[in-house]
Amino acid sequence: MFDLAGFLGLGKKRKGPETSITAINISYMGDRHSLDGMQASGDVFEIRIPFQNRTGSDMLADEVKRPDLRIESASVSPPFELAGVSPGLPIAVKYMQSVSLVLKLRAPKVSYTGPIDIMLNDKAASTARLEISGMSAIRKGARTSLEELPSIANVQKGQVLRRDVQLYSFMKYGDVVKGISVNKPFEMSGSEPKAPFTVDKAGSFIVSVYILAPEYGYAGPLELTFE
């Protein structure tokens, strides 16, 4: 969903108590990212967060335009205080665009060594946590495992997911796919190529399957049935 590639602390050398931040923990839409710590300098210092609305997991479809990511408000854990945010909130980051979010923080008045938690909130967005234990294809009653390793992601409800499937792992040249369906609570959004189609490429035939994420959290398998 967004890129936390780094941070930058600024400010004048502080004459008062030392502030040593051991880790910077950033939470947004159910995801948590940890950055390396820093030595805060100045009574007010800055943390810069590159924030990008892009595909953050291979579960998400680049080809389908995704909604804006919104940041309605920001907060920090005590004993730190939020002195300002630039650009001013709320903001909306359009698909495939980015913004550099700069948080001005007021350092504690006493010496501090420990982490800082930064919470970026989107009151409008609603997310679902998906814990996919594995993916399999079903063809004429036979089941073929496509992905054995689990994948976990927090996605917006109704978000379009993408899975690329190598049909030669369970089909042969000349076979016809009349339709593709997916197990509940997922719903099909489409495929490329669109069904019906014939497996007419020798050596490799990959179909991209587009799936609507459920309106609530789900833990279990992802099963694609090829008719």
Side-chain angles (χ1 to χ4, degrees):
M1 128 200 93
F2 66 105
D3 182 21
L4 295 177
F7 63 92
L8 177 64
L10 302 174
K12 297 181 180 180
K13 185 176 180 180
R14 194 178 187 201
K15 297 180 180 179
E18 294 293 327
T19 301
S20 179
I21 299 173
T22 56
I24 300 174
N25 302 315
I26 302 174
S27 299
Y28 178 74
M29 289 177 60
D31 286 327
R32 185 177 176 89
H33 303 262
S34 293
L35 303 175
D36 292 337
M38 59 180 288
Q39 191 72 29
S41 57
D43 292 329
V44 176
F45 62 98
E46 294 182 356
I47 292 178
R48 188 180 302 270
I49 305 173
F51 189 98
Q52 187 176 25
N53 183 359
R54 64 177 178 81
T55 298
S57 166
D58 62 358
M59 290 181 66
L60 302 181
D62 278 322
E63 290 80 357
V64 181
K65 183 181 183 300
R66 297 191 293 160
D68 296 348
L69 290 181
R70 294 185 59 85
I71 305 176
E72 298 283 346
S73 62
S75 59
V76 297
S77 58
F80 298 93
E81 295 180 8
L82 185 62
V85 182
S86 179
L89 301 180
I91 60 171
V93 184
K94 296 185 178 299
Y95 180 51
M96 295 305 292
Q97 293 188 355
S98 60
V99 64
S100 185
L101 195 66
V102 180
L103 276 65
K104 289 188 176 182
L105 305 177
R106 186 168 289 108
K109 296 181 180 180
V110 296
S111 296
Y112 176 83
T113 299
I116 181 173
D117 294 328
I118 298 174
M119 287 69 69
L120 305 178
N121 302 310
D122 180 3
K123 298 178 181 178
S126 175
T127 63
R129 181 176 179 83
L130 302 182
E131 300 182 15
I132 307 300
S133 57
M135 183 173 73
S136 60
I138 301 173
R139 170 80 170 174
K140 296 181 178 179
R143 184 183 302 271
T144 301
S145 177
L146 301 176
E147 295 179 10
E148 296 182 354
L149 295 177
S151 60
I152 300 175
N154 288 290
V155 300
Q156 293 189 36
K157 295 180 180 179
Q159 179 64 61
V160 176
L161 315 179
R162 169 183 169 174
R163 279 294 190 261
D164 292 332
V165 180
Q166 172 59 261
L167 295 189
Y168 278 118
S169 61
F170 58 95
M171 297 179 66
K172 63 181 184 300
Y173 184 85
D175 282 349
V176 176
V177 176
K178 298 179 180 180
I180 306 173
S181 58
V182 66
N183 62 306
K184 296 295 183 180
F186 301 98
E187 293 183 14
M188 285 293 299
S189 177
S191 67
E192 181 59 42
K194 296 180 180 179
F197 59 85
T198 301
V199 181
D200 57 2
K201 297 178 182 177
S204 176
F205 195 108
I206 296 176
V207 58
S208 296
V209 181
Y210 298 96
I211 306 164
L212 289 177
E215 293 294 314
Y216 49 87
Y218 171 78
L222 178 62
E223 299 174 336
L224 300 172
T225 299
F226 291 79
E227 300 174 358

